[in-house]
Amino acid sequence: MTEAFIYDAVRTPRGKGRSDGSLHEITPLALSSQVLAAVRDRNNIDSAEIEDVAFGCVSPVGEQGAVITRTAIMNAGYAETTSGIQVNRFCASGLEAANIAAAKVMAGECDLAVGGGVESMSRVPMGSDGGAWPVDPQSAFRNYFVPQGVSADLIATKYGLSRDDLDAYSVESHKRATKAWEEGRFDKSILPVKDIMGVTVLDRDETIRPDTNMQSLGALNPAFAMMGENFGFDGVAQQRYPEVEKIKHVHHAGNSSGIVDGAAAILIGNKEIGERLGLKPRARIRSMASIGSEPTIMLTGPEFAARKALKRAGMTEKDIDLYELNEAFAAVVLRFMQALDVDHDIINVNGGAIAMGHPLGATGAMILGTMVDELERSNKETSLVTLCIGGGMGTATIIERV
């Protein structure tokens, strides 16, 4: 099978996903168009060489609907021969889109493709697309549906993770993100976002709080206690997990991922196209995997996706130099570290979504690009990138620096 290489990665900064966020005035079409234009222009590529683009988008309605990928391709001035597909695998959509692009290259369907994603959470709120999973009784009852925040609290309770554990992890996320920006670790991939007049509106992740500490986090109220206790979702979770006597509600706004806007694009191709176009490969895709997992606890999928990707690559957990797991909730990362015996020193080394936010459809592509940069910066060889997913799934990708 043909090998797939990552030739470039770009992302926007993440802007607060509210009406007062810096990217609120920038449409998802503009965010998508700017990263697509950048990946073309930075590499001096005739866009006709890019055969297909896959973009993740978790709420593909309104101005994010109607296959925004294809609309962005045209808006960015690409050749009309470049096709586009919109991908929704919830939080892993951006990584899944990159995996689709890589798979097309590996299968020989494309020589050069782009994977990425976009989410403007300030303009198209999370959940705008609805869905049967939480509201149709046939689904909700059968699958013991609970909201993700209750699932995160269930993980913390079941696996013995205290609020102090979660808050300490979250403080470190902000510290690492602050240090990464101070040291210019994101400089290679960050694309400042411009408005219609060409004025830069954001050139730095907007939600990092360098002064975050245990005291400030300790003052925050649990975010999902009312949902679990008053709306009955704790009881639903306990029906599925009767060994859990009482769910401890330990997640809050400070140890959960932030709501933000952003977009990202990853340029992926085979060896021959890179040589013909004068592109330097930066990383090779070693393996990819997606799995389904138990849907009530929901967010433990990265453990199983990682193991599947490792097996496919003929590797073990100890063969990975750097891990990157989306910080949807602090308990997700801490449980993954428990399950795979991963040291905190080698996971999310530049901080994560607790500090910088989680633009749902774009995050997977963003953190994949972050790992390409970090492998080069730290002179490491291998990285495993993974995300938890709503409904009980996980997606993982292993890359190797070239």
Side-chain angles (χ1 to χ4, degrees):
M1 185 172 288
T2 302
E3 289 187 318
F5 295 91
I6 296 175
Y7 286 104
D8 199 12
V10 298
R11 75 167 176 95
T12 69
R14 300 167 171 104
K16 287 187 295 185
R18 303 196 305 259
S19 58
D20 62 346
S22 295
L23 295 183
H24 176 64
E25 66 178 279
I26 309 299
T27 66
L29 174 60
L31 292 174
S32 304
S33 302
Q34 289 186 38
V35 293
L36 283 176
V39 83
R40 174 198 61 204
D41 298 343
R42 283 161 47 119
N43 296 282
N44 195 28
I45 297 171
D46 178 349
S47 62
E49 300 281 3
I50 299 174
E51 296 167 87
D52 205 359
V53 178
F55 255 35
C57 183
V58 175
S59 294
V61 295
E63 59 185 347
Q64 287 184 168
V67 189
I68 190 172
T69 318
R70 173 60 175 171
T71 311
I73 287 166
M74 296 184 290
N75 196 56
Y78 272 43
E80 63 181 24
T81 52
T82 304
S83 56
I85 184 173
Q86 188 164 275
V87 180
N88 185 2
R89 200 189 284 278
F90 290 151
C91 295
S93 297
L95 185 60
E96 187 64 44
N99 288 351
I100 288 172
K104 284 176 174 285
V105 170
M106 292 175 175
E109 181 182 344
C110 293
D111 293 327
L112 193 64
V114 171
V118 64
E119 206 80 32
S120 180
M121 300 180 76
S122 70
R123 298 176 67 93
V124 184
M126 180 169 52
S128 295
D129 54 334
W133 169 41
V135 298
D136 187 324
Q138 281 193 319
S139 167
F141 291 167
R142 178 179 297 168
N143 298 305
Y144 297 94
F145 168 80
V146 300
Q148 280 195 4
V150 175
S151 295
D153 287 339
L154 173 60
I155 290 171
T157 304
K158 181 174 172 60
Y159 294 106
L161 304 169
S162 70
R163 174 157 171 168
D164 280 351
D165 294 333
L166 308 184
D167 287 356
Y169 177 86
S170 302
V171 170
E172 184 64 18
S173 179
H174 284 277
K175 287 182 178 178
R176 291 183 179 191
T178 300
K179 182 179 181 181
W181 270 104
E182 289 174 346
E183 295 183 355
R185 297 186 186 186
F186 301 133
D187 288 356
K188 188 177 290 186
S189 296
I190 284 290
L191 174 70
V193 177
K194 300 182 183 299
D195 65 14
I196 196 169
M197 302 300 294
V199 176
T200 297
V201 295
L202 188 67
D203 60 4
R204 184 183 179 91
D205 293 319
E206 195 170 24
T207 61
I208 303 170
R209 300 185 301 277
D211 57 348
T212 298
N213 56 45
M214 293 295 286
Q215 290 70 35
S216 62
L217 295 184
L220 300 175
N221 293 322
F224 309 105
M226 179 178 292
M227 195 177 290
E229 296 168 2
N230 296 359
F231 295 176
F233 287 113
D234 282 2
V236 175
Q238 287 170 294
Q239 283 187 318
R240 182 62 182 81
Y241 291 89
E243 70 273 20
V244 176
E245 183 176 348
K246 180 178 173 59
I247 295 176
K248 299 176 183 177
H249 291 286
V250 288
H251 284 91
H252 51 76
N255 57 30
S256 307
S257 56
I259 293 173
V260 293
D261 305 333
I266 310 287
L267 182 65
I268 300 171
N270 59 30
K271 181 179 180 181
E272 291 72 24
I273 192 76
E275 290 176 347
R276 180 164 67 79
L277 298 179
L279 303 174
K280 181 180 183 301
R282 300 177 62 193
R284 178 169 67 96
I285 307 288
R286 283 287 300 267
S287 71
M288 307 172 290
S290 289
I291 59 91
S293 60
E294 198 285 304
T296 301
I297 205 163
M298 195 184 309
L299 306 173
T300 56
E303 168 191 347
F304 310 109
R307 294 189 191 280
K308 186 174 182 179
L310 287 165
K311 183 178 180 180
R312 284 185 168 172
M315 304 170 75
T316 71
E317 294 87 344
K318 301 304 179 185
D319 293 324
I320 300 298
D321 295 322
L322 296 172
Y323 286 87
E324 187 76 10
L325 168 56
N326 181 42
E327 295 174 351
F329 301 91
V332 171
V333 186
L334 293 178
R335 171 56 194 158
F336 181 86
M337 291 162 61
Q338 279 183 351
L340 272 70
D341 191 25
V342 173
D343 191 272
H344 195 184
D345 289 343
I346 63 169
I347 187 168
N348 297 352
V349 296
N350 294 320
I354 288 173
M356 293 177 283
H358 175 23
L360 304 177
T363 305
M366 285 184 170
I367 63 178
L368 180 62
T370 294
M371 282 296 96
V372 174
D373 289 344
E374 183 60 24
L375 287 176
E376 293 173 345
R377 187 199 70 82
S378 60
N379 197 30
K380 303 291 187 181
E381 297 299 321
T382 57
S383 177
L384 187 150
V385 178
T386 183
L387 301 92
C388 62
I389 307 174
M393 293 185 284
T395 294
T397 304
I398 297 174
I399 61 173
E400 179 180 55
R401 181 169 64 90
V402 176

